[in-house]
Amino acid sequence: MAERNSASWNRKVASFCSEPKTFLCDSSVDGFLGELLKDLQSEAIHGQTKILMMDLLLEFPEFLCPDQKTVEMTAETLMNILKKMPSSERSMTLRCHLLLAIETVLITCESFNQNSKMAQDFASLLMHIISDVNDKKQGVANRPLRTTACECLRELESCYPGFLSQRMEKLYLMQQQEVTAAHQSYTLLYTVVLKNAIRFLAQKEGPSNGALKNALLSNEDFFWSATENMVELQPSSNEQLLLLPSNSETKDLKSILALLLEDSYLLTPVCQNTLFWQIVQVVAMARTISPVIFKSQLVRLFSTMDLSCFHSILQMKAVFTDSLFTGEDEHFLIQRLVGMTQHPLLSTPVKLFYLDCLLHFPENRPLTSNSEENLPVLLTVQMTSSLFPNVFNDHSTMLCRQNVLSMVYLENEGSYSEKGIAFLFEHVMSLYSMVHKNGNREITATFFRAVHLFVQYFNFCEKHMENLTEKLLKLYMSNSSLAPNFINLINQTQILLEFHVWPVTLSKALQKEIVNLPTDKWTMKNLGWHLKILSRVAQENSISQSSTALFLRRVVFCSDLCSKGDWRTGNALLSVCKHVLQHQKLSAIFVHLADLLQYLMHRFEDIDVQDRARLYYVLLTNVSSDKLGKILTMSPARGQTKSRSLSSIMTENENFSTMLTIRNAEKTLLCLQPVLEGIKAFTCISDSPRSVNECSFEEYYKHCADNSSSLLTLKYHLAFKEMSEPKYHNLYCIVLQFENTDCRFESISDINVPCLFVDRKPPVVTINLVPKEPYPTIFSVSATYSTQDGITYQTKLDPLYITFREMFIPLPLPALWPLESRFDLFGKLWSAFKPDEQNQFEESIFCYEMSNNSLHDIVLDNFSKFAVSCNGGEYKIAVFLPPQFHILMHIKSQDDTACFSVRTDNWNLLPYLNSHLLDITLQK
């Protein structure tokens, strides 16, 4: 198979990443993998594209390497590519990715063991690469490769603890000798190896008997036995593992740890956190070493503003408690956390992290041993007085602060706590005011969450709870569309407060407000929301449903509901009836409910609603209440299929899988094929054109600004992807749906295609695109269609790739301008796009060796619609890219070399243009 060019591989990789299983169903794994490995060795593929191709091996190794033979072959091929590559700075990124790809394939596919020759060669190669300490052999250009090799070895040691435990002396010497920026990677590698080695020795229990000293001085082969059992060493076993080294071993180990801690100043904050955590685990296991070894670091860490370093303090405190931290230290840390939660220079996520640290603070002497949210004992009401939420906070901060303060006031008593609870209630009421005045969706969600928090902690405050109930009723009556929020609030508080009456009280109050409403236009307009609330209230056996049944009768008998025959409203009514039928006190409302169902089955102008009402009427009049409840709550057996009507969508207690009326297609049947263009010809000006004075340059730019929402119109054939079963030969009511993968284009509206027949010409689908930015993009495409037997299916199509070339359109001339004005306009634009430091303009030159005839063919095939002039082998090309950018090219051939001089008013377009020019010239 011929090699794909870079653009083709970019599309292929994107398609694979979106749906790996579907992609591999259309092509064999071996064929695709072989092609990928072959093109990785090709000089025609750009280096950046090769890195993108290797990402497939990093992200989906289990799909591409399903068996051990394929793993060995893939790793061997990647190793050969790595060895053949020159040690140049240009190829460094690709070489680093090759190391990562080899390691990922071997580890993920469980092929890294002593029986694998490639595993042995790879481990030896990594050790060989990191042996070039201080860049003495390969030079500074090779340093990124050494750093990557260190990270690969650290990953191997993490996956197979103890694998490098017999190389500790050499690793320690390299860590001490390395003085370049790679010192950080060497330090982290040695620390992980040291921790795993000590953990391995601690498993044997009892005194060390010289084993620790031997391990520190070992310089043998890799410990391949570690790859046989990855579950042998678990981080959770730290508390159970103890090592008792001798005095001399303790001295040696303490000296090594002290040197590592001194090196922590040279590391980045994130790497410092990793280093500290590894050493913390070592000290926790080696009980002859005191945690006081960290004291010198705490002086620095206590004053840090870095999140990673502060997290290290909390990790140390969680492990060593009062062995390292005094009561004063604990009080200081709590004060520090409170202060950091409101620091004006910190971002919201960081302040939320500090709030969470307060709720999970590792105390010296905790009152409980659970890992749930608990406030530290030393956190007082006075310390948190500055944490009151307000409406100017973002919603996350607002809720987190309310949660913390609620716990503080719940655990403390006195006037301060009572005032605090009152202040929190006022905060909830301020959110209520905003929602009551038509607040947005975010404020509404925040209000209901705040209510949930208040009810969770202060449901015993009767005065506040009564006031809250009144406000919620008022809110619902003013905005009934909040019914889903009310239902969710009732459900969640009922789960939270299993034996509390407030959720039932709120439900009963809502029922009372609704059933007392008159049957006027306003009530009928919001009837759908009211029925949702009544359906939820009907599920409470402690609430009488007599008023609900009477309200439903009044609505049905005194309105034109039945004559309208609205299917959705009818099923909403029957949903309430269904839950009322399951009520424990059904006998009290038997007559009213029977009248209602009988009226619906005779008068409602919808057959489906009539049938469902008739079913409920038959069940009500012929089945006992016990059996009735079981029938209505019964779900179909797993694996059982049955025919369903539209009303089944409204059934609320059946499995989701049985409610689906749209089935997922087993395979992709459809595809979008680009409509081929006709014969190309130049529409440019052959002779020197006249200057058109009446065509104003400013008028053109005003025209572009007025038409900034320019449409790109692309035409595709909607066709069958392959031959399929006869039942799919005729498709009807096809709806194509498009989903953006980025924000570069406006959303595409759904496209309706009446039908598609296998024996007819495929219909043309016109897709109108409105670009926000003139860059390539991908749309996910799905289709819904019906077959002749009336079944509706949904399927995914191949992604729709919008290339850079497809966004080219000719200059949008004003309506009254003659065609000849393009030449004059090109000259003015070329002069105007001269770059300087004050604008986004840029110029570039692209050269490629080719003959005059080849250049003519390239321009004819790719730029015929955009040519402004073509005189004597010179071409002037003007391209407009919506919303309002330009690319101008002055092309000429000299000494069998084509020179493309480019100017543009958006320098970000140049990389895409360069890639496009490479593709079209390489194809020639």
Side-chain angles (χ1 to χ4, degrees):
M1 184 178 291
E3 294 180 350
R4 290 183 171 86
N5 58 27
S6 297
S8 173
W9 267 112
N10 290 340
R11 293 192 293 269
K12 204 74 173 177
V13 170
S15 178
F16 187 99
C17 292
S18 61
E19 288 289 344
K21 292 183 179 179
T22 305
F23 182 91
L24 293 176
C25 287
D26 298 333
S27 59
S28 66
V29 177
D30 294 338
F32 178 71
L33 179 62
E35 193 175 357
L36 185 145
L37 295 175
K38 178 184 176 183
D39 282 2
L40 282 175
Q41 305 174 62
S42 171
E43 296 294 334
I45 305 296
H46 304 158
Q48 195 63 37
T49 303
K50 290 182 179 180
I51 293 175
L52 194 65
M53 293 160 64
M54 276 190 289
D55 283 346
L56 297 182
L57 293 169
L58 293 172
E59 297 292 335
F60 309 100
E62 66 280 4
F63 288 108
L64 296 175
C65 303
D67 53 64
Q68 296 298 319
K69 183 179 178 181
T70 307
V71 173
E72 287 286 321
M73 183 272 294
T74 303
E76 183 178 2
T77 304
L78 295 176
M79 284 279 285
N80 291 335
I81 296 174
L82 178 63
K83 291 176 181 178
K84 292 178 182 178
M85 293 192 67
S87 301
S88 62
E89 186 175 354
R90 182 180 179 183
S91 63
M92 184 55 59
T93 304
L94 187 57
R95 294 171 68 199
C96 292
H97 275 77
L98 281 167
L99 285 180
L100 296 173
I102 296 169
E103 180 181 57
T104 302
V105 169
L106 290 174
I107 294 178
T108 308
C109 301
E110 299 181 359
S111 294
F112 193 84
N113 52 60
Q114 193 172 9
N115 299 326
S116 171
K117 182 179 182 301
M118 289 312 306
Q120 297 181 27
D121 293 345
F122 181 65
S124 301
L125 176 64
L126 293 176
M127 287 300 298
H128 174 73
I129 293 174
I130 69 170
S131 298
D132 184 20
V133 179
N134 295 323
D135 307 315
K136 291 181 180 179
K137 297 179 182 178
Q138 298 294 331
V140 179
N142 203 55
R143 189 179 300 167
L145 190 67
R146 288 197 298 126
T147 303
T148 304
C150 283
E151 297 303 322
C152 288
L153 284 171
R154 183 153 69 101
E155 186 69 21
L156 286 175
E157 179 65 23
S158 299
C159 293
Y160 307 101
F163 176 69
L164 298 172
S165 60
Q166 296 181 161
R167 292 286 187 99
M168 291 187 65
E169 183 182 25
K170 184 174 182 180
L171 291 174
Y172 183 66
L173 289 175
M174 287 191 290
Q175 187 269 336
Q176 290 294 303
Q177 294 172 5
E178 183 65 43
V179 294
T180 69
H183 176 78
Q184 175 172 272
S185 298
Y186 283 82
T187 301
L188 294 180
L189 171 60
Y190 178 74
T191 309
V192 173
V193 175
L194 176 64
K195 182 258 297 182
N196 286 339
I198 290 178
R199 182 182 292 161
F200 184 80
L201 295 174
Q203 284 183 317
K204 300 178 181 180
E205 300 181 354
S208 171
N209 295 325
L212 177 58
K213 186 174 183 179
N214 293 334
L216 294 176
L217 298 177
S218 61
N219 193 14
E220 303 173 13
D221 197 4
F222 300 110
F223 187 56
W224 286 101
S225 299
T227 63
E228 298 174 2
N229 187 7
M230 296 176 61
V231 194
E232 190 176 69
L233 300 172
Q234 291 294 334
S236 60
S237 60
N238 277 347
E239 296 180 0
Q240 304 171 359
L241 299 179
L242 296 177
L243 181 65
L244 299 175
S246 63
N247 291 336
S248 61
E249 289 176 328
T250 300
K251 184 178 179 180
D252 293 340
L253 181 58
K254 187 175 181 180
S255 175
I256 291 173
L257 295 180
L259 290 174
L260 290 174
L261 287 173
E262 286 183 10
D263 286 348
S264 66
Y265 294 92
L266 305 175
L267 275 56
T268 62
V270 174
C271 291
Q272 286 186 50
N273 174 262
T274 304
L275 176 70
F276 288 143
W277 178 235
Q278 302 298 332
I279 298 178
V280 163
Q281 295 178 79
V282 170
V283 175
M285 289 184 287
R287 288 303 174 93
T288 56
I289 297 180
S290 171
V292 179
I293 193 174
F294 294 103
K295 274 292 185 183
S296 60
Q297 302 296 325
L298 290 183
V299 176
R300 174 172 63 94
L301 295 178
F302 270 170
S303 59
T304 183
M305 283 288 293
D306 186 83
L307 197 65
S308 302
C309 292
F310 191 84
H311 190 245
S312 297
I313 300 177
L314 298 178
Q315 287 178 317
M316 293 179 192
K317 195 171 188 316
V319 175
F320 300 121
T321 62
D322 55 358
S323 300
L324 183 59
F325 294 86
T326 64
E328 290 77 10
D329 294 336
E330 187 172 67
H331 188 264
F332 173 79
L333 285 175
I334 293 174
Q335 285 184 318
R336 181 81 190 281
L337 282 172
V338 173
M340 298 298 275
T341 58
Q342 48 193 327
H343 198 290
L345 297 181
L346 296 179
S347 64
T348 298
V350 173
K351 288 189 280 191
L352 292 176
F353 167 78
Y354 286 118
L355 275 171
D356 193 66
C357 289
L358 272 178
L359 296 174
H360 299 88
F361 186 78
E363 297 182 89
N364 285 347
R365 302 182 186 278
L367 297 178
T368 60
S369 59
N370 62 55
S371 59
E372 298 177 357
E373 293 181 348
N374 290 293
L375 289 178
V377 176
L378 296 179
L379 185 66
T380 62
V381 175
Q382 289 78 8
M383 290 174 65
T384 58
S385 59
S386 59
L387 291 181
F388 271 102
N390 58 71
V391 294
F392 298 106
N393 298 133
D394 65 279
H395 64 282
S396 298
T397 302
M398 203 183 300
L399 294 170
C400 287
R401 287 190 176 189
Q402 182 183 346
N403 185 41
V404 170
L405 289 174
S406 297
M407 296 177 68
V408 170
Y409 297 135
L410 188 65
E411 295 179 4
N412 293 272
E413 297 180 353
S415 58
Y416 279 112
S417 294
E418 292 178 1
K419 290 180 180 178
I421 295 173
F423 284 140
L424 287 178
F425 185 76
E426 288 182 10
H427 167 67
V428 175
M429 289 299 100
S430 64
L431 291 175
Y432 159 78
S433 299
M434 297 174 69
V435 177
H436 190 60
K437 296 176 182 177
N438 297 321
N440 58 32
R441 183 177 180 181
E442 183 178 315
I443 289 295
T444 302
T446 303
F447 165 70
F448 279 96
R449 290 173 183 168
V451 170
H452 181 265
L453 279 175
F454 190 86
V455 174
Q456 175 183 351
Y457 291 107
F458 307 119
N459 54 78
F460 57 87
C461 300
E462 295 183 2
K463 178 181 177 182
H464 292 314
M465 295 304 293
E466 290 177 3
N467 197 353
L468 179 62
T469 304
E470 293 177 5
K471 294 294 184 181
L472 288 173
L473 292 176
K474 185 177 179 182
L475 178 61
Y476 176 77
M477 298 312 295
S478 64
N479 188 357
S480 300
S481 63
L482 296 177
N485 300 80
F486 279 87
I487 293 172
N488 185 55
L489 177 64
I490 293 170
N491 291 338
Q492 296 304 316
T493 52
Q494 202 162 46
I495 295 171
L496 187 69
L497 310 172
E498 187 175 357
F499 302 106
H500 202 278
V501 298
W502 187 79
V504 177
T505 302
L506 178 61
S507 301
K508 193 172 183 179
L510 286 169
Q511 180 199 38
K512 183 178 178 181
E513 291 291 335
I514 293 172
V515 299
N516 290 330
L517 290 172
T519 54
D520 54 13
K521 290 184 179 180
W522 178 255
T523 302
M524 300 308 294
K525 180 181 178 181
N526 296 303
L527 183 61
W529 302 119
H530 299 328
L531 294 175
K532 284 182 177 292
I533 294 291
L534 293 177
S535 181
R536 175 60 184 85
V537 173
Q539 299 175 38
E540 298 294 337
N541 285 318
S542 59
I543 300 178
S544 172
Q545 297 302 311
S546 299
S547 58
T548 297
L550 291 172
F551 172 74
L552 295 180
R553 279 188 57 188
R554 182 158 47 90
V555 168
V556 172
F557 292 174
C558 302
S559 69
D560 57 352
L561 196 65
C562 290
S563 59
K564 286 183 176 179
D566 183 69
W567 177 86
R568 186 178 297 275
T569 305
N571 276 286
L573 274 166
L574 291 174
S575 180
V576 181
C577 295
K578 176 190 173 183
H579 288 110
V580 173
L581 284 169
Q582 300 172 61
H583 201 270
Q584 289 181 354
K585 300 177 181 179
L586 183 60
S587 57
I589 54 174
F590 180 89
V591 175
H592 302 312
L593 190 58
D595 289 346
L596 173 64
L597 293 172
Q598 194 173 37
Y599 190 88
L600 288 173
M601 74 185 199
H602 289 300
R603 301 292 184 88
F604 203 91
E605 295 293 333
D606 183 270
I607 299 297
D608 190 57
V609 175
Q610 289 182 15
D611 289 344
R612 191 177 173 193
R614 185 175 291 106
L615 170 64
Y616 289 164
Y617 180 79
V618 171
L619 291 174
L620 175 64
T621 55
N622 292 276
V623 180
S624 65
S625 58
D626 293 338
K627 292 182 179 180
L628 187 61
K630 293 179 181 179
I631 293 173
L632 292 175
T633 56
M634 187 180 299
S635 296
R638 183 176 296 180
Q640 192 177 22
T641 58
K642 70 173 185 177
S643 178
R644 310 185 59 78
S645 66
L646 287 174
S647 62
S648 64
I649 298 175
M650 305 301 294
T651 306
E652 299 174 1
N653 68 332
E654 294 188 354
N655 292 331
F656 180 74
S657 59
T658 64
M659 293 197 300
L660 293 176
T661 57
I662 299 178
R663 302 183 183 180
N664 289 322
E666 295 180 357
K667 59 181 180 179
T668 303
L669 295 178
L670 306 176
C671 65
L672 291 173
Q673 300 173 347
V675 176
L676 299 178
E677 296 182 1
I679 299 174
K680 300 179 179 64
F682 285 119
T683 59
C684 59
I685 302 156
S686 299
D687 301 318
S688 298
R690 294 174 289 106
S691 177
V692 185
N693 296 323
E694 62 270 18
C695 301
S696 167
F697 185 60
E698 291 73 15
E699 183 183 352
Y700 168 75
Y701 256 102
K702 184 178 183 301
H703 176 73
C704 290
D706 293 341
N707 296 274
S708 59
S709 299
S710 301
L711 283 177
L712 289 176
T713 301
L714 304 179
K715 295 183 180 295
Y716 293 87
H717 286 297
L718 178 63
F720 288 97
K721 191 172 184 179
E722 57 186 22
M723 291 303 296
S724 56
E725 300 175 34
K727 70 175 183 177
Y728 297 116
H729 286 182
N730 296 335
L731 304 181
Y732 304 91
C733 300
I734 305 167
V735 180
L736 298 176
Q737 296 147 334
F738 302 83
E739 183 178 351
N740 302 48
T741 58
D742 51 46
C743 300
R744 294 175 174 176
F745 283 74
E746 297 285 354
S747 299
I748 302 178
S749 301
D750 293 350
I751 297 178
N752 298 303
V753 180
C755 57
L756 176 64
F757 299 146
V758 72
D759 56 349
R760 295 185 188 178
K761 185 177 180 181
V764 175
V765 174
T766 302
I767 302 176
N768 295 319
L769 302 172
V770 181
K772 298 179 183 177
E773 299 175 347
Y775 306 126
T777 190
I778 302 174
F779 285 93
S780 299
V781 187
S782 61
T784 304
Y785 56 84
S786 297
T787 54
Q788 280 185 310
D789 54 5
I791 300 177
T792 302
Y793 294 90
Q794 186 176 41
T795 183
K796 284 193 173 183
L797 279 66
D798 294 334
L800 179 64
Y801 298 93
I802 308 301
T803 64
F804 186 62
R805 165 64 182 84
E806 289 175 312
M807 287 181 283
F808 290 4
I809 62 175
L811 293 179
L813 299 179
L816 300 179
W817 284 28
L819 186 62
E820 292 81 0
S821 61
R822 288 185 303 166
F823 184 86
D824 187 45
L825 181 60
F826 180 92
K828 292 182 179 180
L829 289 174
W830 185 270
S831 301
F833 290 170
K834 186 174 182 180
D836 59 46
E837 296 180 357
Q838 306 298 323
N839 55 41
Q840 293 282 316
F841 304 157
E842 192 55 84
E843 62 182 346
S844 178
I845 296 178
F846 177 86
C847 298
Y848 196 84
E849 185 176 348
M850 67 176 69
S851 64
N852 288 338
N853 291 335
S854 297
L855 176 60
H856 179 82
D857 292 341
I858 286 178
V859 175
L860 180 63
D861 291 341
N862 298 279
F863 302 111
S864 58
K865 295 190 297 185
F866 316 107
V868 172
S869 71
C870 45
N871 294 321
E874 292 189 16
Y875 309 88
K876 291 184 179 180
I877 309 297
V879 177
F880 181 80
L881 294 97
Q884 47 185 354
F885 298 107
H886 303 77
I887 290 178
L888 307 178
M889 288 183 284
H890 188 181
I891 307 171
K892 60 183 177 180
S893 179
Q894 191 172 14
D895 297 331
D896 287 336
T897 300
C899 181
F900 293 71
S901 298
V902 181
R903 283 192 182 181
T904 178
D905 51 357
N906 184 353
W907 62 269
N908 292 300
L909 302 175
L910 289 178
Y912 299 100
L913 178 63
N914 184 69
S915 179
H916 175 60
L917 294 177
L918 274 174
D919 289 340
I920 62 177
T921 50
L922 286 174
Q923 289 172 1
K924 284 295 179 182

